[in-house]
Amino acid sequence: MNDLAALHAPLADALTTAVRRVMDSGWYILGPEVAAFEAAFADYCGAGYRAAGSGGLHAVGVGNGTDAIELALAGVGAGRGSRIALAANAGGYGTTAVLALGAEPVYVDVDEDTATLDPALLDRAGHEAGFDAVLVTHLYGRLADMPALRAVADAHGAKVVEDCAQAHGAAHGVTAGGRRAGVWGDAAAFSFYPTKNLGALGDAGAVVTADPDVAERVRRLRQYGWDRKYHQVTGPARNSRMDELQAAVLGVKLPHLDAWNARRVAVAARYAATIRHPKLTLPDVAAPSHVAHLYVLRSTDRDALSSHLRAHGVPHDVHYPVPDHRQPVHGDRFADLDLPVTERLCAEVLSLPCHPGLDPAEADRVAAVLNVFGDAACTP
């Protein structure tokens, strides 16, 4: 599904130099490498956009992407008893963060075509159930309908946090004023897990915001609630700090992100041009609003399709098979909740290899195998 060694090979000298620089410095947590990456990543997310009246974007490096969601929500004021609207088809990471805060998840169904929050249903949830904040996941690399979702949240007086873990660089518009993932909400969470479009060599994350007060709150919450060493002024806090090694690695890789995204989108375009099976539903991967973190098709006979791919040696995965509200950990808590689109998508989605190192011949091989699914007499 990924070839991270091949991705890193051309950067081996630069990565080695960066790691050596950190080792020689003797400073390994929240030092100059983190500060440099935070500034560079804030500039990247804010390219072409400047929040009205703000001094620009702030990025706060944290330990991982799920911590980033939790700390972003806490940064905008969510906490115990808050009601957080979110989708239930995104792997449970948002739910994990919401529950860690002691908040209440308010699950909202998603749009059939985009698999992201449906603005009309979010509005309905606001009237029927109410919510204090909205967590919007940009799923599979696709930027959600942020203008509409932001308008709904504003109408209900709710804060907006973006989960950008799968959408580094996705944007509405590419000219001056174009807005990338991370600048639509009151705060945004990013993961730099190694397989992300921008990945570290381990776990790391960041919270991005245009609000300096939110940024300062997150900085304190990521390190025990300190405003200075051993002086705790806010909470509940945690220890979630980006380390210098991961920041140095991310600093090397960030300038390559847009090119890697373009190569992902090219793989998706190759699939779109070569997969020809009447029973497979292909995604619409259109740059720049989609950066092809995953290429996720749909099949009403997913188990058989998975067996077919496995028999022909084609890697694949399911992102994600169990919706959050049906996870066993909740027992019967959400037994009466009906999210028909979410549940249908979770039963049908299947992910194909889609990464910057996948060459056209490999993509064509995947397509050839898919095109004879269900036809045992054919050999791809």
Side-chain angles (χ1 to χ4, degrees), residues 28-120:
Y28 305 129
I29 299 289
L30 291 185
E33 299 285 349
V34 171
F37 175 71
E38 287 174 335
F41 192 65
D43 286 345
Y44 175 84
C45 292
Y49 170 74
R50 189 180 185 89
S54 83
L57 292 182
H58 308 265
V60 182
V62 299
N64 58 71
T66 308
D67 282 358
I69 298 173
E70 181 184 342
L71 293 171
L73 287 166
V76 302
R80 186 164 300 279
S82 296
R83 295 175 60 78
I84 314 295
L86 72 164
N89 66 327
Y93 311 109
T95 294
T96 298
V98 168
L99 295 178
L101 284 171
E104 175 77 14
V106 178
Y107 294 117
V108 177
D109 214 348
V110 296
D111 178 82
E112 184 90 32
D113 295 325
T114 68
T116 59
L117 279 178
D118 185 318

Side-chain angles (χ1 to χ4, degrees), residues 90-293:
Y93 311 109
T95 294
T96 298
V98 168
L99 295 178
L101 284 171
E104 175 77 14
V106 178
Y107 294 117
V108 177
D109 214 348
V110 296
D111 178 82
E112 184 90 32
D113 295 325
T114 68
T116 59
L117 279 178
D118 185 318
L121 296 180
L122 179 65
D123 186 49
R124 181 189 300 175
H127 290 292
E128 295 178 352
F131 47 75
D132 303 297
V134 180
L135 176 63
V136 180
T137 298
H138 304 308
L139 195 63
Y140 306 147
R142 182 194 304 276
L143 198 66
D145 186 356
M146 289 309 303
L149 292 168
R150 178 88 237 197
V152 171
D154 289 346
H156 291 278
K159 297 292 187 179
V160 175
V161 170
E162 299 171 69
D163 173 5
C164 305
Q166 300 185 4
H168 310 71
H172 282 314
V174 293
T175 58
R179 298 174 67 173
R180 282 180 166 153
V183 302
W184 294 88
D186 298 285
F190 286 84
S191 169
F192 303 117
Y193 185 78
T195 59
K196 301 303 184 185
N197 291 40
L198 178 64
L201 298 184
D203 263 325
V207 175
V208 171
T209 180
D211 187 328
D213 293 331
V214 171
E216 183 58 28
R217 179 170 174 79
V218 172
R219 288 189 189 99
R220 292 175 177 177
L221 290 172
R222 74 176 173 183
Q223 185 168 235
Y224 312 117
W226 291 348
D227 65 344
R228 60 185 184 274
K229 194 171 183 179
Y230 306 137
H231 193 254
Q232 189 174 20
V233 296
T234 191
R238 60 167 56 245
N239 174 13
S240 182
R241 302 173 294 200
M242 180 181 284
D243 68 64
E244 288 284 277
L245 282 170
Q246 301 306 338
V249 165
L250 290 166
V252 170
K253 297 176 73 174
L254 179 58
H256 302 275
L257 175 56
D258 288 340
W260 289 337
N261 283 348
R263 285 156 60 182
R264 288 175 176 271
V265 172
V267 171
R270 189 82 179 191
Y271 283 145
T274 54
I275 298 173
R276 292 288 181 266
H277 196 296
K279 294 186 178 180
L280 301 180
T281 301
L282 306 185
D284 178 14
V285 180
S289 63
H290 201 311
V291 292
H293 173 65

Side-chain angles (χ1 to χ4, degrees), residues 9 63 306 324 332 378:
S306 178
D324 294 14
D332 294 331
C378 294

